[in-house]
Amino acid sequence: DDLRTMGVMMGQHQFDECIRKVLTSNGGKIDVPTNRELLRRNMLAMGIEPTAEMVKKWGKVKRKDNWYSIAEAHHDFPFHQAKWFAEHGVDVNIPAFGRWVSSQDHCIWHTCAEEKFNTFWDEWISDEIDFRARNGRDYSIAEILDMLAEARNRFPVTGVGG
């Protein structure tokens, strides 16, 4: 069966492979990513592309293979916090943790107004200090993945063209 993950068709095997890589790579230790473009390359290498419906909504492309001019690979775990995520066992460049978005959505979430998306994550990450004091531990992978779901709900792909 295929999963529809935030507008991207991903086979169950593809999704499972992404998660397996996260949990087993390098003995559970994640190197801090240094290349923001790696998410896009990883998504393409796994055959994860925007759906035809998304590309049609986002804008006109002259050739079928030119959709990449209007779609951006978005880190749903913000790249500027890659070190924090790596320390918690999450590689921000794993395709299951990204999604294709229009340049308009990307702008709305980040640069066109406030840094709402980054602020959402930055505040939650800074709250870990209080969480640790109350619970005697850091956030778990499950709690991080729950916040990923929350972030995707708060910042949906609208399908608005760029």
Side-chain angles (χ1 to χ4, degrees):
D1 288 337
D2 283 340
L3 302 173
R4 190 166 188 90
T5 308
M6 299 303 144
V8 176
M9 291 302 290
M10 181 184 292
Q12 182 66 50
H13 175 75
Q14 287 174 308
F15 183 79
D16 291 347
E17 182 62 14
C18 287
I19 299 302
R20 185 196 64 75
K21 284 182 180 179
V22 169
L23 299 177
T24 62
S25 67
N26 202 16
K29 179 184 178 291
I30 306 294
D31 292 329
V32 178
T34 58
N35 185 345
R36 178 181 295 274
E37 187 62 22
L38 192 55
L39 175 63
R40 174 186 277 269
R41 287 195 299 232
N42 288 344
M43 290 171 76
L44 292 173
M46 292 195 73
I48 302 168
E49 298 180 355
T51 64
E53 177 184 295
M54 293 167 79
V55 172
K56 184 177 178 183
K57 285 181 183 178
W58 290 347
K60 302 274 187 236
V61 288
K62 294 184 173 136
R63 295 182 359 200
K64 181 183 183 290
D65 62 350
N66 199 23
W67 58 262
Y68 56 84
S69 66
I70 58 172
E72 297 182 30
H74 183 262
H75 287 90
D76 283 339
F77 291 128
F79 192 82
H80 78 278
Q81 291 281 9
K83 181 176 188 273
W84 184 91
F85 285 107
E87 290 168 352
H88 288 73
V90 175
D91 182 342
V92 299
N93 283 322
I94 296 293
F97 301 145
R99 56 186 158 156
W100 293 107
V101 301
S102 69
S103 56
Q104 180 67 28
D105 278 332
H106 202 246
C107 184
I108 289 168
W109 298 345
H110 293 292
T111 58
C112 290
E114 308 164 24
E115 288 274 332
K116 293 178 185 177
F117 185 84
N118 289 344
T119 301
F120 169 84
W121 279 107
D122 292 346
E123 289 175 356
W124 186 74
I125 288 169
S126 68
D127 287 345
E128 186 180 42
I129 296 166
D130 292 334
F131 179 88
R132 188 181 306 120
R134 288 189 316 272
N135 299 290
R137 64 176 178 84
D138 290 340
Y139 292 141
S140 68
I141 292 284
E143 289 160 333
I144 293 169
L145 293 175
D146 284 346
M147 283 312 287
L148 173 64
E150 176 67 22
R152 287 177 170 176
N153 285 330
R154 287 192 189 193
F155 302 93
V157 175
T158 66
V160 175

